[in-house]
Amino acid sequence: GEDVEQSLFLSVREGDSSVINCTYTDSSSTYLYWYKQEPGAGLQLLTYIFSNMDMKQDQRLTVLLNKKDKHLSLRIADTQTGDSAIYFCAELNQAGTALIFGKGTTLSVSS
Amino acid sequence: NAGVMQNPRHLVRRRGQEARLRCSPMKGHSHVYWYRQLPEEGLKFMVYLQKENIIDESGMPKERFSAEFPKEGPSILRIQQVVRGDSAAYFCASRTGFTGLETQYFGPGTRLLVL
């Protein structure tokens, strides 16, 4: 079945780069997403990548997609304390009717 | 352009009562999704609706849960006879109806607590 896996925690120092990794199982996924959730809040769309792309860059964010290994990563350059949050990886399901989410990676940024 | 609106933001119910959660999609969006987030978990898909139609309800529990998206007004997720296990954050998302624009935008959620 469709499944998305993420590591649960990442701790970095302010100014360093953060890399959050995700693996997914459905090779037919067309869209893959990264969402950010701050405590008590909803999900904020950070970025997405279409399956025919290998990389997408948007300011401090870089998304890398390795379709062969079904691996997705989100790199945050110059990580700030305001980046502390839970980051969710998600894929669009095969039917195109729902997002399949990972359990989220809690990013902790220390000054 | 207002984002996805959900109300109430917090809802407390006693076991056996009914919970009604409302979602107003972004302007111009005709597709609505409901997800549930249990503590320390990711979001799980519940149901996908277009105006007056349920497209996919494969994630909905078979009993006590129902959803609608009428021609006029918000989408409603209704939970009858709530139990403690229903305590969770319920998120609504919406998107346009255009093929190729699949991105879902999320509301702030309704946090349901069942006592």
Side-chain angles (χ1 to χ4, degrees):
Chain A
E2 298 157 323
D3 195 17
V4 175
E5 299 279 343
Q6 299 178 240
S7 52
L8 295 182
F9 298 102
L10 177 65
S11 182
V12 300
R13 288 192 180 278
E14 195 173 20
D16 288 349
S17 291
S18 307
V19 179
I20 303 172
N21 295 301
C22 168
T23 57
Y24 59 97
T25 54
D26 187 355
S27 58
S28 65
S29 287
T30 52
Y31 289 90
L32 294 140
Y33 300 85
W34 285 102
Y35 285 89
K36 175 184 179 183
Q37 184 181 36
E38 297 185 32
L43 272 70
Q44 173 194 351
L45 175 67
L46 284 179
T47 188
Y48 65 92
I49 190 166
F50 191 55
S51 59
N52 68 352
M53 299 168 68
D54 297 325
M55 186 183 91
K56 181 178 180 182
Q57 187 152 3
D58 184 1
Q59 300 182 331
R60 292 192 298 123
L61 305 179
T62 303
V63 178
L64 294 177
L65 175 60
N66 181 330
K67 283 197 71 175
K68 175 175 170 287
D69 295 337
K70 297 178 196 168
H71 182 266
L72 183 74
S73 68
L74 173 69
R75 179 177 181 269
I76 306 173
D78 188 25
T79 312
Q80 303 297 307
T81 53
D83 295 324
S84 294
I86 303 175
Y87 290 80
F88 290 97
C89 170
E91 64 172 343
L92 188 63
N93 71 351
Q94 203 166 51
T97 58
L99 292 174
I100 312 295
F101 283 88
K103 289 191 175 182
T105 299
T106 299
L107 174 64
S108 174
V109 183
S110 56
S111 55
Chain B
N1 187 8
V4 178
M5 312 276 283
Q6 289 189 249
N7 68 81
R9 294 290 304 276
H10 299 272
L11 183 60
V12 180
R13 284 287 178 267
R14 295 192 180 279
R15 280 178 296 169
Q17 291 184 318
E18 178 179 286
R20 276 181 178 251
L21 287 60
R22 294 174 193 78
C23 169
S24 296
M26 284 177 72
K27 188 176 180 181
H29 286 193
S30 56
H31 296 230
V32 165
Y33 304 77
W34 286 94
Y35 293 82
R36 177 165 63 176
Q37 184 180 31
L38 294 170
E40 311 296 327
E41 294 282 325
L43 277 72
K44 299 290 186 189
F45 167 74
M46 299 181 76
V47 63
Y48 163 35
L49 310 105
Q50 293 178 27
K51 285 282 188 183
E52 299 185 278
N53 286 306
I54 296 175
I55 308 302
D56 182 354
E57 56 182 347
S58 58
M60 285 279 269
K62 294 287 183 280
E63 296 175 349
R64 303 188 297 108
F65 285 71
S66 62
E68 62 176 4
F69 188 16
K71 189 176 179 182
E72 301 291 336
S75 176
I76 306 285
L77 178 68
R78 183 180 176 212
I79 312 172
Q80 294 177 287
Q81 298 175 317
V82 295
V83 300
R84 289 218 174 103
D86 296 333
S87 295
Y90 292 82
F91 291 96
C92 169
S94 73
R95 69 170 180 91
T96 75
F98 294 108
T99 301
L101 293 177
E102 312 291 346
T103 301
Q104 297 178 24
Y105 296 89
F106 282 79
T110 294
R111 279 147 181 90
L112 172 65
L113 176 63
V114 180
L115 301 176

